[in-house]
Every structure is written in C-alpha cells, then in structure tokens.
Amino acid sequence: MTAFDDWRARSPFYDETHEALAASVRRFVAKEIAPHIDRWEAEGELPRELHRKAAEAGILGLRYPEAYGGHSEGFDIFHGLVVTEELAAVGAGGLGASLMTHGIGLPPILALGSEELKQRVAPPVLAGDKIIALGITEAGGGSDVANLSTTAVRDGDVYFVNGGKMFITSGMRADWLTCAVRTGGAGAGGISLLLIDMTAPGVSRTRLDKMGWRCSDTAAIHFDNVRVPAANLIGTENGGFMGIVRNFNGERLGMAMGCCAYARVAMAEAADWAQQRQTFGKPLVGHQSIRIKLADMERQIEATQAWVDLCAWQVREGRDRPADFAMLKVQATRMLEHVAREAAQVLGGASYITGSKVERIYREVRVNSIGGGSEEIMLDLAGRQLFGGAR
C-alpha cells in the first residue's frame, strides 16, 4: 500500500463495515469482471448474466428496501460510494454506468410509483433478471429537460407514446424504460413519467457507437404509437418533473465519486510506470518534474474526494442543497480531465496504445463532463441558486 491508496483508512466517514464491503466487491471484480472486461469493451455490451451474478453478490440491491429484494439495514450512503470505487478498478467507466443503470431507472418508481408497480418492477431488477434504464434526453433537447417533446396521449386506460430518446445508457438491453413524456402543456408542468415495456410494438432501437464507455450499450430509441397501460404511470400525471429532478443530486454525486475513483486508477498506473521506467540512468520518478506531476494529481484528487464525502454526509444528515452537487460535478470532472492528461504524459507513448487503463480513462473524460448536466449548465444552475438572476 502506498501513501495515496489508503484514503478510506484516513477518513472519518468510513469504518470496518465499509472496508469489509470493499473487500467483497474487490473479490467479485477480480473473479467476474477483470478477466473479461477487454472482451466486453470490444463487444460493446455487458452480458446479462453479469447482472444476476452482481445481484447474488449483494451489489445490485445494496441500499434498496428489503421489501423489494434489496438490503438496506446497516448500510449508508458511504457504502454506495465504496461500490463505485471498487467497480472502477478495471478502468472502464462503462461497467458502472451499465451494470448499475438501475440506480437512475429504479428510484423514481420507488419514490413515486404505486405499490403494484414497485412490486412488479423492483424485485426482478434487483435480482438481475430484468434491466431498467432511464429515458430523459432527446436529440433536440439535451439538458433542457423541461422542454422535452416526446408525447403521451391518454385514451381510456392506455397512453399512446410517440417521439424518441437519445444517448440512453443500457438502451439496447433494457427490458423497461423509465421514460419522461409530455402529457400536458409546455414546460416542466406538462411532464409525466411512464414505465415503458421495451418489447412493446412500436419501440425501435438503434445502437450508438462511442468514443468511451464502450462496454456500456447506448441507444437511440424511437416510439411509434406505443401503447402503455395507464397503470404504468409513475406518480401523478403532469407531476413527473419533480421525479426527474430528485434523481439529479444522487446522479451527480455518483458521477463525482466515479471521477475520483477513475482518477486514482489513472494515478496508480502512472505512479507504477514512473517507478519502473528507467530514463537517463534512473527511474522516471527520480526526476523532479515527474514527482511534481504526481503530487499535484494527488492534491486534486484528495481535495475533490473531501468534497464528495462532505456532500455525502450532508445527504445523510438532510443538509444537502442542489448547488453543491452541481459545482461538485464540475470540480470532479475537471479534476479527472487534468489527472488523466497528466497520467498520459507520465506514460508517454504507452498511454496512446490500447491496453492501458490510462488510455481508456482518457477517452472517457468527456462523457463525465457532458452527462448528467454539462459544465456550463451546472455552473449556471449553481449561480442562480446561490446568487439569483433571471432563469
């Protein structure tokens, strides 16, 4: 163990239960993921069986209610951060994004859905038998969620859905889609959430190729007069926007934690390379300029992790505010971008050849800066909440 990889042991937020969980997830990653991740990256998706194995290992259901097949007793928000950290060890961001896609697709149902809907959907998802995704983003809207255009028109006990969604994580493999639709007038007040069966007639999907997150299948989804039972309405009609918004803080905190985790993976690979690589008669780390790079990478990771942990504590204590999560996401993504760049500089030409974790992480920097709300929108959101100003 080196000075930079024992951060949990030096934190007041983590104890022996978090370390025990970390060890368990680490064993799962070493056995079930690490030997196959390069192949899954090449194939462009994860096997469905991995979801079942992750459920059996207690990963999918962590911090979800026991009534629906999860296990929440004795687990806090920091246990969730531990899982994010350990899944990052293979250096493939698409793994966490796709394997844990229920983390954004299921919460609106558990928070707002009917008991029948919860019982129908949550147990098979948490058992790894079904995959659920979240459908918010549209080709013409991006982060402008309040102006989405996919429509759902009610006729008796069904809705007819028309339109499309873009950049949907797990969109090719998803059995269900928690989908934002327009059921009312313009703006946030006309949005509802529907659970759409992805095998329903009229649903079509197109696989999207990507620069990074390659083992995570991503889709453009089109709806052509798709019939959705009214019983699949999540919450109230025209009350879906708040169901979307309540997801944002958790998603941004998770992304920030992921940035810290992948930055540590990149730094570890760079540090190992610097200790092994000989240049001008001494190890690379023997050069002052390289030590400065590594120390500055560590400085930025530690500072960002401290903010992640503070925001997680604020959530646990009910003291959180949206502006903090918006700014944290920008801090974390910019930190990862810097660390990935500097790690690549340390590795030199080796970082440009497929096979290193740094090469893969470097390609995945941009998705973190864009997904879950772009830097510009995050900073404007924080500015409006903290300092006022016109919307």
Side-chain angles (χ1 to χ4, degrees), residues 57-362:
I59 294 173
L60 293 194
L62 188 74
R63 301 188 64 241
Y64 286 90
E66 280 81 358
Y68 306 113
H71 37 278
S72 57
E73 185 67 30
F75 295 101
D76 65 11
I77 191 169
F78 293 98
H79 289 94
L81 299 185
V82 165
V83 172
T84 299
E85 172 82 11
E86 295 302 328
L87 290 178
V90 294
L95 170 69
S98 196
L99 180 61
M100 308 299 284
T101 191
H102 68 295
I104 55 175
L106 190 56
I109 294 174
L110 293 179
L112 303 175
S114 66
E115 186 60 29
E116 184 277 329
L117 194 60
K118 295 175 188 178
Q119 292 288 356
R120 172 157 48 101
V121 174
V125 167
L126 296 179
D129 294 326
K130 295 285 188 178
I131 297 173
I132 191 169
L134 180 68
I136 305 294
T137 303
E138 298 182 352
S143 297
D144 189 8
V145 176
N147 289 314
L148 61 84
S149 60
T150 297
T151 60
V153 177
R154 185 163 184 167
D155 183 4
D157 59 355
V158 300
Y159 287 94
F160 289 91
V161 179
N162 288 278
K165 298 295 175 179
M166 181 63 73
F167 311 131
I168 304 305
T169 299
S170 297
M172 294 302 298
R173 297 178 307 135
D175 301 291
W176 289 310
L177 187 71
T178 299
C179 189
V181 295
R182 184 161 302 285
T183 49
I191 295 174
S192 298
L193 289 173
L194 286 177
L195 181 74
I196 298 180
D197 182 343
M198 295 296 282
T199 65
V203 176
S204 59
R205 328 184 206 193
T206 302
R207 183 181 297 273
L208 302 175
D209 198 13
K210 310 184 300 297
M211 176 168 58
W213 280 15
R214 298 193 64 83
C215 67
S216 171
D217 59 295
T218 305
I221 302 174
H222 182 69
F223 308 110
D224 183 9
N225 230 29
V226 177
R227 293 172 60 97
V228 179
N232 283 18
L233 178 67
I234 303 168
T236 61
E237 188 170 286
N238 298 327
F241 188 74
M242 290 311 298
I244 298 169
V245 170
R246 68 186 300 158
N247 247 12
F248 283 160
N249 286 355
E251 182 180 6
R252 290 162 188 165
L253 178 63
M255 291 187 73
M257 181 64 207
C259 287
C260 290
Y262 287 105
R264 271 188 286 269
V265 171
M267 180 176 172
E269 190 169 66
D272 182 66
W273 179 267
Q275 290 161 355
Q276 303 299 322
R277 174 75 163 163
Q278 295 287 321
T279 61
F280 301 101
K282 58 183 176 181
L284 196 59
V285 75
H287 298 280
Q288 184 184 45
S289 61
I290 299 300
R291 293 195 301 273
I292 290 173
K293 281 184 182 295
L294 292 171
D296 194 53
M297 291 157 67
E298 169 68 356
R299 173 185 66 82
Q300 296 198 37
I301 295 171
E302 287 283 345
T304 307
Q305 184 67 58
W307 198 0
V308 168
D309 288 344
L310 176 60
C311 283
W313 177 85
Q314 290 170 340
V315 170
R316 190 180 70 184
E317 300 299 314
R319 304 185 188 184
D320 51 309
R321 61 178 184 176
D324 290 329
F325 296 89
M327 293 185 293
L328 171 63
K329 181 180 179 293
V330 176
Q331 166 67 23
T333 56
R334 288 184 177 178
M335 176 276 294
L336 177 60
E337 186 165 10
H338 174 79
V339 170
R341 180 196 183 280
E342 292 297 87
Q345 286 297 108
V346 172
L347 266 69
S351 72
Y352 203 65
I353 304 302
T354 301
S356 74
K357 293 178 181 177
V358 167
E359 180 269 337
R360 192 151 58 200
I361 292 169
Y362 191 86

